[in-house]
Amino acid sequence: MNAASAPPEGRAHPAGGSRSRRVVQQTLLGAAGVAGLLLLWQLLPTTGLVNPAHFPEATSVLARFGTDLLDLEFWRNVGRTLASWGIGLLVSTVAALVAGTVVGMVPFLRRATHTLVEFLRPIPSVALIPLAVLSFGITMEAALVIIVFASFWQVFVQVLYGVADIDAVARDTARSYGLGRRAQLLRLVLPTALPYLVTGLRLAASVALILAVTAEMTIGNPGLGNALMLSYSNGDQAGVFAVVIATGLIGLVVNLIFGAVERRALFWHQSVRSEDSA
């Protein structure tokens, strides 16, 4: 590159500057939204529009949340909930990836399992709680039953669609070049299904967290859900809202992490490139 075509020193790249401004604007708008919500939350019980006994002030809840952050038992509960979430998500993702790839690659299996999948997928996971408790008692294993069941379908269906989305010309070309099943799987099937898999994984992560907390609330095994129910039974409304805030923040962090993973894994995909350039 010669001196005439080189960009002037100290001048930011237009695309980079635009992206930075967009991030700053989104951050400011997000902070303004949170501040507005907290202000509204504070005003509702203060002005008597809602009963403070059932809907405590934002300052009381935030003070209680700050106290919980200094409590070791709170962090133990966070660890228990995240352990159930992580194990359930891992098991369901591996099982769904294997099953979705096998079923998707065999047309006969796709037709044979279609009705079964459409029957099992809509079943509410909480309906399995009595069966899980009878089989495993009040343990993490009981929680994993409903976490895995709910998360499995999020990934399985996406992988199934991804495998079915393989271009027929690309498949015929791979066969004409003599690529075996393994080579087709690594070079054709998985790259095509990767965007679907990442989407399914992001959905499953949120669903697994919801079911992890739900299982702790209903089954009674230790974790944030159980702590929420204990606060509720003791009439500690501030404690209930503090746990709700904690679970919301964990969900936000999980979503941000998987969003970053999606952008990193699919940096070459059109959807991510168009989002970055917007």
Side-chain angles (χ1 to χ4, degrees), residues 105-142:
M105 292 183 67
V106 182
F108 170 76
L109 288 179
R110 283 205 305 270
R111 293 191 298 269
T113 59
H114 176 74
T115 302
L116 181 62
V117 170
E118 293 304 315
F119 169 73
L120 292 175
R121 190 160 60 99
I123 295 177
S125 299
V126 292
L128 301 178
I129 289 178
L131 177 62
V133 173
L134 286 175
S135 301
F136 300 100
I138 304 177
T139 61
M140 181 188 290
E141 287 77 7

Side-chain angles (χ1 to χ4, degrees), residues 110 162-176 184 188 192:
R110 283 205 305 270
V163 174
D165 195 41
I166 297 175
D167 186 70
V169 176
R171 183 187 293 112
D172 294 339
T173 302
R175 289 173 180 171
S176 65
Q184 289 185 39
L188 181 62
T192 303

Side-chain angles (χ1 to χ4, degrees), residues 15-268:
S18 175
R19 189 178 298 113
S20 300
R21 285 193 299 271
R22 187 169 66 249
V23 171
V24 172
Q25 290 174 355
Q26 290 175 349
T27 302
L28 292 176
L29 287 175
V34 172
L37 175 63
L38 291 176
L39 178 61
L40 178 62
W41 182 357
Q42 181 69 23
L43 290 175
L44 287 176
T46 302
T47 57
L49 292 176
V50 296
N51 189 349
H54 303 299
F55 194 82
E57 298 174 348
T59 51
S60 301
V61 174
L62 293 177
R64 176 57 184 275
F65 180 63
T67 302
D68 287 345
L69 291 177
L70 302 177
D71 186 1
L72 184 59
E73 183 61 23
F74 168 80
W75 291 107
R76 291 196 184 101
N77 287 329
V78 171
R80 292 160 182 156
T81 299
L82 289 180
S84 300
W85 166 79
I87 296 172
L89 181 61
L90 177 62
V91 172
S92 61
T93 299
V94 173
L97 178 59
V98 174
T101 302
V102 172
V103 172
M105 292 183 67
V106 182
F108 170 76
L109 288 179
R110 283 205 305 270
R111 293 191 298 269
T113 59
H114 176 74
T115 302
L116 181 62
V117 170
E118 293 304 315
F119 169 73
L120 292 175
R121 190 160 60 99
I123 295 177
S125 299
V126 292
L128 301 178
I129 289 178
L131 177 62
V133 173
L134 286 175
S135 301
F136 300 100
I138 304 177
T139 61
M140 181 188 290
E141 287 77 7
L144 290 177
V145 170
I146 64 173
I147 295 172
V148 171
F149 181 83
S151 305
F152 173 85
W153 301 112
Q154 305 295 325
V155 180
F156 176 79
V157 171
Q158 291 293 329
V159 172
L160 202 63
Y161 288 156
V163 174
D165 195 41
I166 297 175
D167 186 70
V169 176
R171 183 187 293 112
D172 294 339
T173 302
R175 289 173 180 171
S176 65
Y177 276 95
L179 294 181
R181 282 280 185 180
R182 182 177 179 182
Q184 289 185 39
L185 178 65
L186 295 177
R187 299 183 182 182
L188 181 62
V189 176
L190 291 182
T192 303
L194 184 59
Y196 295 87
L197 171 62
V198 174
T199 299
L201 186 59
R202 188 173 182 178
L203 294 173
S206 299
V207 170
L209 181 60
I210 294 172
L211 268 299
V213 176
T214 302
E216 293 163 355
M217 293 175 62
T218 53
I219 296 175
N221 50 316
L224 288 175
N226 184 251
L228 187 150
M229 294 306 295
L230 288 176
S231 296
Y232 169 76
S233 62
N234 293 329
D236 182 8
Q237 299 300 326
V240 170
F241 279 85
V243 176
V244 170
I245 290 177
T247 56
L249 289 176
I250 293 174
L252 176 62
V253 171
V254 167
N255 189 60
L256 290 175
I257 291 174
F258 279 88
V261 170
E262 182 177 14
R263 288 190 296 272
R264 177 64 65 89
L266 301 178
F267 68 93
W268 49 272

